[in-house]
Amino acid sequence: MAVEVLLPKIGLTMQDGTIDEWLVPAGTVVSEGDALLRLATDKVDVDVEAEAGGVFHPAVPAGTTVPAGALIGWLLAEGEQPPGPGGTPMPAGPGSGVTVTGGPSAAPAVNGGVAVRGDAVRSGGGVAVRGEAAGSGGGGTVRGGAVRSGGGMAVRGEAAGSGGGGTVRGGAVRSGGGMAVRGDAARSGGGVAVRGDAEPSGGGGRILASPNARRVAARAGVDLGAVRGTGPGGRIVSEDVEDVLAATPAQATPAAQAVPVSPLVRKLAKERGIDLAGVRGTGAGGRIRRADLDTAGTEPAATPVRSADVIPLTGMRGTIARRMHASLQEMAQLTHGYDVRMDAVVALRARLKQEWADSDLPVPSLNDFLLKAAALALREHPLLNAVVRDDGIHLYEDIHLGTAVAVPGGLLVPVIEDAATLPLPELARRSRELADAARAGRISPARLEGATFTVTSLGGYGVDFFTPVINPGNVAILGVGRLRDGVEWVDEQPRRTRVLTLSLTFDHRAVDGAPAAEYLRTVEGLLRRPLRLLL
């Protein structure tokens, strides 16, 4: 019996995912636990394993983005065909029955086939018709519709056929052998006659190409059906696409012919050696006048702007773009800057380095001290540990700190749960473990969920003050700047101090300026007497 392969829901907030790559080709026998695909989610990229064994058959091509829980493939028994649209197995050959889905417009079946207008049919080995169709003997005539027959033929356009075959005009065909046709195609008996461009593909009609090759082809407008793959099993790799591009000469566009200009002006331009494509017309509709030729050589030619690489807004990058844009649209965000003295923290940390040198206790970083101070201060200022919903401001009971970690291609925010209750050495250990896992790409999605407040630092990049953007689901985020030298005057004498700037962005719908400033003052007080942070 066919086992459905569904797109798993990775984490509570995942809505959809992109199949970055199928790790096994169609028709491969897999066992439970074998990796089937590489899935790109809004937070992480993960390998998805098979939950059962069988012959693998993908239902969607690589690069497709589908919602969580969507059907993406099947695990079949030997000789079993993929289920049809209704969930029942496809018949193995023609003349095995007719299934009509739809309503009153279905017409009676004829010789095992069916005549349908404005409905959907599966017949004679699986014909799906949308539009207007008629057929007999397991075949079909389709006009303006779509057909799937003979183990997987998809027709769009106009088709006619009988005896399990078909003739397609102006449409597209995908058949069980993996032949994709654009143009005119005819299929009868056991063979396929193609008129137009044939598109080579792997089993199930999918072109075997690496994700990078697909990106390069899409960017350059190259049809993968015209590319000969040199990878394993004929798989198309990016070098194959680049070879096609290198072998295709660039075609010049006769821009001058498209410029509105009279024959006289065109003749004068030719005599003067002026390229009309570079002349700006001042006449009606941009028409080039004789006077425009007189000034053509006096204006500097504009330097054409060459397009650079396009980075798709997908996966992590796409999620960051959507969430940050939504955050700034939905919240009334305001940022306070606040300088705090770090002399006591720097001195305590130097002391701990010496005293804990022979122990297994991790020495907290400056950021760990700030994480603990931020968490403890939230106990006194619960309005900053909240979320704004339609019915009001909801205060969180727990304090779960998100700590922003820069990773290749974006940003991840692992969550330290119950941060206010953790001793500082334990908080430091968890912070390092989460950051290392995020940078290595092995953090689980569950570790990225549930932050009630976020701390982000750009101090390591030399930044003092910045305006962090609040993560949706929170009402505040604390930015940490670099540790720097400051000056304090004592008895008319300057004294060196250690200072950093905190940047608190808060949602003014939930928190006013004064309570936000009070929170920063509380954080500073804890950092001035850091022994309390050790517990």
Side-chain angles (χ1 to χ4, degrees):
M1 179 178 178
V3 177
E4 292 183 338
V5 179
L6 306 179
L7 189 78
K9 184 176 176 65
I10 309 294
L12 296 176
T13 61
M14 174 181 163
Q15 296 181 347
D16 54 39
T18 300
I19 301 172
D20 192 39
E21 182 180 8
W22 288 113
L23 301 179
V24 295
T28 302
V29 178
V30 299
S31 302
E32 181 178 354
D34 289 349
L36 286 181
L37 66 132
R38 185 71 173 169
L39 173 64
T41 72
D42 56 354
K43 296 187 183 341
V44 293
D45 294 349
V46 295
D47 288 345
V48 176
E49 299 177 349
E51 297 183 356
V55 180
F56 174 63
H57 181 88
V60 294
T64 304
T65 299
V66 296
L71 176 68
I72 58 175
W74 294 276
L75 295 173
L76 309 170
E78 287 288 347
E80 185 180 15
Q81 296 295 318
T88 57
M90 286 274 213
S96 55
V98 178
T99 301
V100 179
T101 60
S105 60
V110 181
N111 293 331
V114 71
V116 180
R117 286 171 176 79
D119 222 316
V121 178
R122 185 172 68 253
S123 148
V127 177
V129 181
R130 291 177 178 81
E132 187 172 303
S136 64
T141 299
V142 183
R143 294 178 178 85
V147 177
R148 180 179 299 138
S149 73
M153 176 175 289
V155 181
R156 291 176 179 81
E158 197 171 290
S162 63
T167 301
V168 184
R169 296 182 181 84
V173 178
R174 179 176 299 148
S175 63
M179 176 71 69
V181 182
R182 293 178 177 83
D184 291 341
R187 182 183 189 277
S188 64
V192 177
V194 180
R195 300 177 184 87
D197 298 322
E199 183 178 300
S201 62
R206 184 174 68 87
I207 296 175
L208 298 178
S210 70
N212 192 43
R214 294 181 184 276
R215 283 191 290 269
V216 174
R219 187 165 60 239
V222 174
D223 182 4
L224 286 176
V227 180
R228 179 179 174 273
T230 61
R235 183 184 184 87
I236 298 172
V237 295
S238 58
E239 288 80 3
D240 299 329
V241 181
E242 292 166 357
D243 290 343
V244 171
L245 291 174
T248 304
Q251 297 181 355
T253 302
Q257 297 179 5
V259 178
V261 59
S262 70
L264 176 60
V265 172
R266 190 180 299 280
K267 179 181 177 182
L268 290 174
K270 185 177 181 180
E271 292 174 354
R272 300 181 188 181
I274 297 176
D275 183 5
L276 290 176
V279 179
R280 184 172 64 90
T282 59
R287 187 177 185 85
I288 297 176
R289 304 184 305 166
R290 185 171 181 173
D292 298 328
L293 298 181
D294 297 333
T295 60
T298 62
E299 297 182 3
T303 303
V305 179
R306 294 183 296 176
S307 60
D309 266 354
V310 176
I311 301 174
L313 284 177
T314 57
M316 183 191 304
R317 188 75 261 155
T319 299
I320 293 173
R322 290 192 302 272
R323 289 172 63 87
M324 294 299 97
H325 185 254
S327 173
L328 290 171
Q329 280 191 318
E330 296 169 3
M331 301 186 198
Q333 299 193 23
L334 178 66
T335 304
H336 283 344
Y338 198 98
D339 288 346
V340 297
R341 291 277 298 271
M342 295 293 290
D343 306 81
V345 172
V346 171
L348 177 59
R349 186 169 181 273
R351 179 180 168 187
L352 294 177
K353 277 186 177 181
Q354 294 179 345
E355 295 183 1
W356 292 358
D358 298 328
S359 72
D360 294 332
L361 294 173
V363 178
S365 66
L366 293 179
N367 200 59
D368 294 330
F369 279 96
L370 284 156
L371 287 172
K372 186 61 182 290
L376 289 178
L378 289 174
R379 287 178 170 175
E380 298 183 31
H381 304 274
L383 268 180
L384 284 102
N385 192 57
V387 60
V388 176
R389 295 181 180 143
D390 291 340
D391 60 340
I393 303 169
H394 293 240
L395 305 183
Y396 290 119
E397 293 183 4
D398 302 314
I399 297 174
H400 300 327
L401 280 191
T403 172
V405 178
V407 297
L411 186 76
L412 294 177
V413 185
V415 179
I416 304 172
E417 297 181 350
D418 300 315
T421 64
L422 298 176
L424 188 56
E426 176 61 18
L427 186 148
R429 183 186 65 79
R430 293 193 189 183
S431 174
R432 292 178 190 177
E433 287 179 353
L434 290 170
D436 290 344
R439 294 188 184 103
R442 52 181 173 80
I443 191 166
S444 66
R447 294 291 187 183
L448 303 172
E449 301 283 350
T452 63
F453 185 91
T454 303
V455 177
T456 179
S457 175
L458 290 178
Y461 300 93
V463 176
D464 290 330
F465 172 82
F466 58 105
T467 55
V469 179
I470 302 171
N471 284 317
N474 296 169
V475 297
I477 181 172
L478 183 65
V480 180
R482 69 183 174 100
L483 183 67
R484 66 186 191 275
D485 289 337
V487 176
E488 179 185 40
W489 289 88
V490 179
D491 297 329
E492 302 296 326
Q493 296 296 320
R495 178 185 299 176
R496 178 194 181 203
T497 61
R498 304 292 279 164
V499 181
L500 60 75
T501 300
L502 298 179
S503 306
L504 178 68
T505 299
F506 56 95
D507 186 351
H508 217 318
R509 297 177 302 167
V511 185
D512 293 328
E518 289 292 341
Y519 170 80
L520 290 168
R521 183 180 295 177
T522 300
V523 172
E524 182 197 26
L526 291 167
L527 294 172
R528 280 181 174 271
R529 295 183 293 278
L531 284 175
R532 291 179 293 173
L533 301 177
L534 293 176
L535 304 176

